[in-house]
């Protein structure tokens, strides 16, 4: 047993039903040249429809049944994540499976950017660049020879320094160990603007969310943004953009509303269950973790999400059956993080720490997504 993952179709309107039908339309469009090809395409779409039910059906079923028979629906979500994982082939060159940037790391906090960066690598990114304050750099480098570390975040030309690297990066994770220093936050503002201008996906966590709560316009409506607030950060964002009080009993409704108030950007509310919405759909991840919550777990999530969002966008909406690639990536990263927690807890009980969780990434990933 151990896994309960349900999806809730929060709006139940037309937006969702673009899965298999759209895929079929595209396939047939491409085959317009010849009737024989069209026939093959029709057969193929029929086969796909047979194996993978359209997502709106999955959502509606999960919604109406609640958790009565979630296994089959849950399987569909696992399948969506499996669809976006790139195959390991000998033909690829270094970097193709993900070059991820982490923006964070200051005098006080050096663990968080390390955890996020190493998690991205363990999940399958080829390269990770950490952009941190000068003082933090030697410390982060000393944790691991596997991270590329740029001591630029508190310099006066930080934005230019990071911008130089942006063309080579597939996703940015902003916030792990960032702190609240004015100079650094001001630089991060510029980095976010530059990231949006290049249409690069960005995951925002921790004090990156503090910045967004001060200035929601910075990210409002940017469709490649994912915010990963915990309860406290979620309330802070809510107060920044909504005047009505939050319904604390209705997590799905609250996450949906916050996402809409931020222009339908993807929001992942971490908690007992992780609730994910893009203002249209709501996914809930209830993969079994443990009662142990150690600092750093959120960095494992943000780092793995950085890689998975790149994979999901690369795979495109056909692989995610018309569902938002960002929602699929977020559900995958939440599920993985919780499974790492579960496996590490089995071994170490209450002495478990984030380092133990990171050691489980490989086996957890294989168990969940490579079967
Ligand atoms: C939760 O909030 C959503 C969105 O506002 C709403 O549609 C739904 O009816 C609410 N559910 C409950 C149980 O209050
Ligand atoms: C967000 O999505 C909802 C539901 O589909 C829609 O009603 C709303 O207009 C969208 N808002 C923006 C800013 O796109």
């Amino acid at each position: 047993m151990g896994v309960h993952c349900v999806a809730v179709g929060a709006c139940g309107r037309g937006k969702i039903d673009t899965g298999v039908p759209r895929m079929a339309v595209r396939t047939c469009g491409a085959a317009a040249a010849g009737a024989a090809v069209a026939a093959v395409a029709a057969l193929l779409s029929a086969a796909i429809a047979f194996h993978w039910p359209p997502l709106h059906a999955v959502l509606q079923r999960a919604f109406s049944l609640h958790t009565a028979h979630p296994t089959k629906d849950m399987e569909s979500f696992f399948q969506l994540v499996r669809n976006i994982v790139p195959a390991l082939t000998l033909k690829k060159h270094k970097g193709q499976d993900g070059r991820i940037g982490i923006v964070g790391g200051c005098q006080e906090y050096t663990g968080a950017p390390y955890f996020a960066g190493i998690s991205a690598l363990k999940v399958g990114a080829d390269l990770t660049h950490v952009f941190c304050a000068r003082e933090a750099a030697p410390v982060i480098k000393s944790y691991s020879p596997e991270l590329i570390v740029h001591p630029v975040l508190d310099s006066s030309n930080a934005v230019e320094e990071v911008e130089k690297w942006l063309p080579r990066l597939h996703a940015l994770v902003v916030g792990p160990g960032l702190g609240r220093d004015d100079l650094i936050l001001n630089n991060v503002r510029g980095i976010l603007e530059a990231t949006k201008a290049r249409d690069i996906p960005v995951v925002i966590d921790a004090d990156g969310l503090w910045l967004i709560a001060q200035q929601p316009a910075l990210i409002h409506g940017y469709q490649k943004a994912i915010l990963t607030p915990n309860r406290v950060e979620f309330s802070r964002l809510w107060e920044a953009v909504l005047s009505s009080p939050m319904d604390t009993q209705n997590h799905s409704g609250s996450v949906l509303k916050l996402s809409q108030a931020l222009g339908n950007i993807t929001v992942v509310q971490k908690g007992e269950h992780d609730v994910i919405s893009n203002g249209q759909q709501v996914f809930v991840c209830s993969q079994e973790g443990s009662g142990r919550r150690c600092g750093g777990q959120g960095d494992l999530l943000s780092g793995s999400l950085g890689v998975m969002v790149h994979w999901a966008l690369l795979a495109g909406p056909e692989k995610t059956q018309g569902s938002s690639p960002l929602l699929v990536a977020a559900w995958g990263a939440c599920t993985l993080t919780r499974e790492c927690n579960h496996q590490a807890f089995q071994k170490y009980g209450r002495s478990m720490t984030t380092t133990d969780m990171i050691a489980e990434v490989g086996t957890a990933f294989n168990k969940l997504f490579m079967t």
Side-chain angles (χ1 to χ4, degrees), residues 1-3 287-294 297 337-353 356-360 363-364 367:
M1 204 29 241
V3 272
Q287 180 81 14
E288 187 180 358
S290 78
R292 179 84 170 98
R293 287 241 166 267
C294 38
Q297 175 163 333
T337 303
R338 297 170 79 102
E339 176 63 21
C340 289
N341 181 303
H342 181 72
Q343 289 184 191
F345 189 77
Q346 298 299 308
K347 290 188 185 165
Y348 304 104
R350 69 170 59 243
S351 83
M352 159 198 140
T353 60
D356 302 321
M357 285 176 60
I358 288 169
E360 299 297 324
T363 48
K367 180 182 157 195

Side-chain angles (χ1 to χ4, degrees), residues 8 46 59-60 81 96 120 133 166 171 181 186 205 212 218 240 290 292 327 369-370:
V8 182
L59 286 164
Q60 276 162 12
V81 180
Q96 268 184 305
L166 285 183
D181 178 88
N186 205 35
D205 189 36
I212 298 303
L218 209 46
S290 78
R292 179 84 170 98
L327 286 188
F369 305 129
M370 303 311 287

Side-chain angles (χ1 to χ4, degrees), residues 36-92:
V37 186
V40 171
L43 268 177
L44 262 178
S45 359
I48 289 165
F50 177 74
H51 286 294
W52 300 331
L55 195 62
H56 69 101
V58 171
L59 286 164
Q60 276 162 12
R61 226 172 327 141
F63 189 48
S64 56
L65 292 177
H66 295 283
T67 52
H69 295 285
T71 320
K72 191 165 185 295
D73 301 322
M74 214 175 58
E75 255 326 295
S76 313
F77 280 86
F78 280 107
Q79 190 57 52
L80 292 185
V81 180
R82 285 175 199 131
N83 289 352
I84 65 164
V85 177
L88 296 176
T89 74
L90 298 176
K91 294 205 178 71
K92 282 194 240 180

Side-chain angles (χ1 to χ4, degrees), residues 181-204:
D181 178 88
D182 281 340
L183 171 66
I184 290 181
L185 289 186
N186 205 35
N187 287 337
V188 171
R189 228 170 255 146
I191 292 166
L192 280 175
E193 295 292 0
T195 306
K196 284 195 294 182
R198 291 189 177 273
D199 206 29
I200 296 169
V202 59
V203 177
I204 306 183

